[in-house]
Amino acid sequence: MNTSGPAADDVRADGLRLVPFRGLRYVPERVGSLAAVTSPPYDVVVRPDGLHHLESADPHNIVRLILPQAVVAGTRHRKAAVTLDRWLAEGVLAPDPEPSLYVYEQHGDGILQRGVIGALELSTPAEGIVLPHEDVMPHVVEDRAALMRTTAANLEPLLLTYRGDGDGAADVIERTVQREPLLSTTTEDGFHHRLWSVTDPAELATITAGLAEHQALIADGHHRWATYLRLREEHDSPSPWNYGLVLLIDTARYPLRVRAIHRLLNRLPVADALAALGDGFRVRRVEGPLPRALESLASAAAEGNAFLLTGDGAFHLVDRPNPELLSRTVRTDRPEAWRTLDATVLHATLLDHLWHIPDAPEDISYIHDTAAAVAQAERRGGTAVLMHPVREDVVRDLARQGVTMPRKSTSFGPKPATGLVLRSLALD
């Protein structure tokens, strides 16, 4: 890790500390196209057909590293490490010549997003520098830790947000995007991606000093952040494992979209789900198609807790929970903003109390795409619970209070494309 010079020295101990690294990037001449080797983050690639599509897009698609396929977990992780080593030896991936911070831009679907990718010094939630807002699932952290440990690499950046105040980092970003980028590509979702390196010592110092005045919210990547912290504990300090790959976005300048993550109850038919509600909620059948049903959900969510259940070919709006039921099932030692979250009521009242469904992978799948959740519920005979998104200010306020939301409560986006720049800890 290059921590010499003003970019690393002139920082406050109580703020973000972002340092340059030698990024690993695909060599364009060795792959079909940069778009063909990228992928969404590992937890968005949830369907086998999506995984197979990415694998067939190019033999060097990054999904072969972030989601290697084998029957045994240990074999999967070793397979990823062997693949990474082979691609480096063959020149498919190559390190940049000097440590850099990377300015990253995404543009599409009416959104322009710009931020900085770098290696961020790790901190615990108690330190108040990087704020988580969701709980994590231990088995996912264990799997990600085994993959990172075996590959000795950060294969995809976490998405972190902060609220800038016109600091110098923003100025450097806006100047940088006027230059010729290192790479430019358009992925099949229509988003345009560009990446620049920042190596000038003065510009690095300006970015680092500006970010050191802020705290960040984990927008996407809670399991990987928990993984970073676990792996840091396994190594003596100082160490490259004291840092993790992140993308930092100033949402005062470039607001993200916050979307819901839906639940698929694999073993619970819709009829059984509705019957178990009793008089605990109001239940109404609403008209489709899906966009129209989601409008009904949004209207109901503006007045209180609301969920849309489907999977039987119809849409059932579940809202107006019985206050007495909530008082018996939702813990009272948390702020009201937490107690009234849809995700809180879903997990505490519906899943735990009324439906008795454990939060286990075989029982609950977490799906970002609304149409995919509906289609899978219909195919499996289960129930899709469609959620309404939480506002970013609610998420940030709870995080600052040290209160975590139920896992998979939010989906911030657009998420960075995986595969544009990687970090090998062997190079630090």
Side-chain angles (χ1 to χ4, degrees), residues 26-141:
Y26 279 99
V27 177
E29 295 78 16
R30 300 301 308 274
V31 297
S33 72
L34 289 175
V37 295
T38 63
S39 164
Y42 80 97
D43 58 339
V44 179
V45 187
V46 294
R47 294 176 297 171
D49 56 335
L51 178 65
H52 297 153
H53 172 73
L54 290 167
E55 287 182 327
S56 61
D58 188 284
H60 302 107
N61 188 282
I62 192 68
V63 78
R64 297 181 185 274
L65 299 183
I66 63 172
L67 287 173
Q69 297 300 294
V71 175
V72 181
T75 303
R76 291 201 305 271
H77 305 139
R78 288 192 296 274
K79 183 177 180 180
V82 169
T83 300
L84 176 58
D85 289 344
R86 185 176 72 251
W87 289 357
L88 287 167
E90 294 174 350
V92 174
L93 288 168
D96 283 331
E98 57 185 318
S100 307
L101 294 178
Y102 297 86
V103 171
Y104 174 52
E105 177 188 274
Q106 291 184 85
H107 185 206
D109 195 24
I111 294 178
L112 174 64
Q113 176 180 285
R114 289 172 179 156
V116 180
I117 295 175
L120 184 66
E121 185 174 30
L122 305 181
S123 59
T124 64
E127 295 173 75
I129 299 172
V130 175
L131 306 175
H133 70 268
E134 290 184 355
D135 296 330
V136 297
M137 293 177 275
H139 74 279
V140 177
V141 175

Side-chain angles (χ1 to χ4, degrees), residues 160-321:
L160 274 60
T161 73
Y162 69 100
R163 302 291 291 179
D165 52 9
D167 55 53
D171 295 336
V172 174
I173 290 172
E174 299 309 315
R175 288 198 303 270
T176 300
V177 298
Q178 303 305 314
R179 307 169 188 162
E180 188 71 20
L182 288 175
L183 63 85
S184 178
T185 190
T186 302
T187 46
E188 65 178 5
D189 59 3
F191 272 84
H192 307 284
H193 307 263
R194 296 197 293 173
L195 189 76
W196 297 260
S197 64
V198 178
T199 58
D200 178 78
E203 291 188 328
L204 292 174
T206 299
I207 292 176
T208 305
L211 293 175
E213 300 176 359
H214 300 292
Q215 62 181 185
L217 175 74
I218 301 177
D220 186 68
H222 284 81
H223 290 90
R224 284 166 285 164
W225 184 261
T227 299
Y228 287 167
L229 293 176
R230 173 180 294 192
L231 294 175
R232 181 183 67 169
E233 295 175 357
E234 298 177 4
H235 296 83
D236 295 332
S237 184
S239 160
W241 297 94
N242 285 14
Y243 299 80
L245 185 64
V246 304
L247 165 63
L248 280 161
I249 301 289
D250 176 3
T251 52
R253 296 176 68 88
Y254 298 106
L256 299 180
R257 286 180 178 167
V258 187
R259 290 176 170 159
I261 302 177
H262 311 294
R263 275 64 168 161
L264 171 59
L265 312 182
N266 295 301
R267 302 177 179 180
L268 181 67
V270 173
D272 293 347
L274 295 173
L277 296 178
D279 60 357
F281 289 79
R282 181 177 70 169
V283 179
R284 292 176 291 158
R285 184 162 173 165
V286 296
E287 294 297 322
L290 179 57
R292 184 175 178 181
L294 290 174
E295 290 176 359
S296 298
L297 174 62
S299 297
E303 301 179 3
N305 300 121
F307 313 92
L308 192 64
L309 273 55
T310 187
D312 61 350
F315 297 100
H316 311 272
L317 184 63
V318 175
D319 65 353
R320 296 190 182 179

Side-chain angles (χ1 to χ4, degrees), residues 133 305 307 330 335-347 387 390-391 394-395 398 403-406 409-410:
H133 70 268
N305 300 121
F307 313 92
V330 177
E336 181 181 0
W338 181 90
R339 298 196 305 271
T340 56
L341 289 170
D342 286 342
T344 297
V345 173
L346 172 62
H347 283 262
M387 311 279 287
V390 184
R391 300 193 317 272
V394 174
V395 176
L398 285 172
V403 178
T404 55
M405 300 163 63
S409 293
T410 60

Side-chain angles (χ1 to χ4, degrees), residues 13-34:
D14 59 346
L16 299 168
R17 184 167 186 253
L18 192 72
V19 301
F21 69 103
R22 290 180 65 195
L24 286 182
R25 295 189 297 110
Y26 279 99
V27 177
E29 295 78 16
R30 300 301 308 274
V31 297
S33 72
L34 289 175

